[in-house]
Amino acid sequence: MAVRLMDTCWAVQRETAAEPKPTQNQKLAPHVVEVSGTGFCLTFDPHGGPAGKGRVVVEPRWSNAPSSEDIRHFLDAVIAFSREYERDLSKGFVAILDSTHLVWPSMLSVPQIVSVVRELPPPASLRAGTKAIAIVYRESRWAGTMVPYLWDVVAAVTKPVLVPIFATSQKAADDRFLSDLSASRRISVMAGGA
């Protein structure tokens, strides 16, 4: 059964410490999980990535530039999601941040957003299970400059192990994941790995 953990479920969980009650979303495949909040959607397909790995897609949908409180709400939902699906995430997944519809925050608000990211770092289960990251953005000269710059700012705070792939579509990101996975398998076999 497909599940959709709604924004109201997270509010109930924060207030009552009760487990969120998933609801069905008929548009998703039976094994896909969707976490929707005000301004974002996170979709997890345990088998949707390359070579049977999981696939997490985060799509910001704020109608205005996200505030530090919006980012806090999003990270709270990610933390709750990672706790709920820790076992599935530990099997490995690729992550895609699809920022093609993101209204970019002003450079003046970046320090406040970064402080929230520093305060609420990615949970260990997400960090350990992530095999590759892609950031998808609209093709433009501004985005081509700013997206890597903003990644550098976030990377300085979160100290990630992986370097993201930058792509202009989810398909291009998936193709790159497959290419990189094939190359790493060739290197592993040449070095005597399985």
Side-chain angles (χ1 to χ4, degrees):
M1 128 180 103
V3 294
R4 180 183 174 104
L5 303 175
M6 305 283 274
D7 187 43
T8 54
C9 295
W10 296 119
V12 168
Q13 184 181 27
R14 279 193 297 271
E15 292 171 10
T16 66
E19 289 297 314
K21 302 289 187 255
T23 58
Q24 285 191 324
N25 180 343
Q26 301 302 326
K27 295 179 184 177
L28 298 175
H31 57 278
V32 175
V33 175
E34 183 179 275
V35 178
S36 291
T38 304
F40 68 88
C41 179
L42 181 152
T43 307
F44 174 51
D45 183 342
H47 311 291
K53 300 245 181 278
R55 183 174 194 256
V56 173
V57 177
V58 176
E59 297 176 280
R61 296 180 179 170
W62 289 284
S63 56
N64 296 309
S67 67
S68 58
E69 277 307 305
D70 293 330
I71 300 300
R72 179 180 305 283
H73 175 72
F74 166 69
L75 292 174
D76 284 343
V78 168
I79 290 167
F81 160 77
S82 67
R83 286 182 184 144
E84 179 76 18
Y85 294 95
E86 184 172 4
R87 186 173 179 201
D88 292 320
L89 293 169
S90 71
K91 296 174 185 172
F93 63 92
V94 296
I96 297 175
L97 169 60
D98 188 340
S99 67
T100 54
H101 300 291
L102 177 65
V103 178
W104 289 94
S106 77
M107 293 308 288
L108 297 175
S109 64
V110 169
Q112 294 146 341
I113 291 171
V114 168
S115 72
V116 172
V117 172
R118 181 178 292 136
E119 182 184 325
L120 298 169
S125 59
L126 282 181
R127 292 176 75 106
T130 306
K131 303 305 175 197
I133 299 171
I135 299 175
V136 176
Y137 62 94
R138 272 185 294 217
E139 192 167 358
S140 74
R141 177 181 238 163
W142 181 88
T145 302
M146 290 308 297
V147 170
Y149 167 75
L150 290 173
W151 170 257
D152 289 343
V153 170
V154 170
V157 171
T158 61
K159 308 284 191 257
V161 176
L162 301 171
V163 176
I165 294 166
F166 294 99
T168 55
S169 71
Q170 287 188 30
K171 181 181 180 338
D174 285 335
D175 291 347
R176 179 72 185 273
F177 287 149
L178 283 170
S179 172
D180 288 358
L181 183 62
S182 295
S184 69
R185 279 194 179 154
R186 284 192 301 271
I187 292 169
S188 175
V189 169
M190 288 171 30

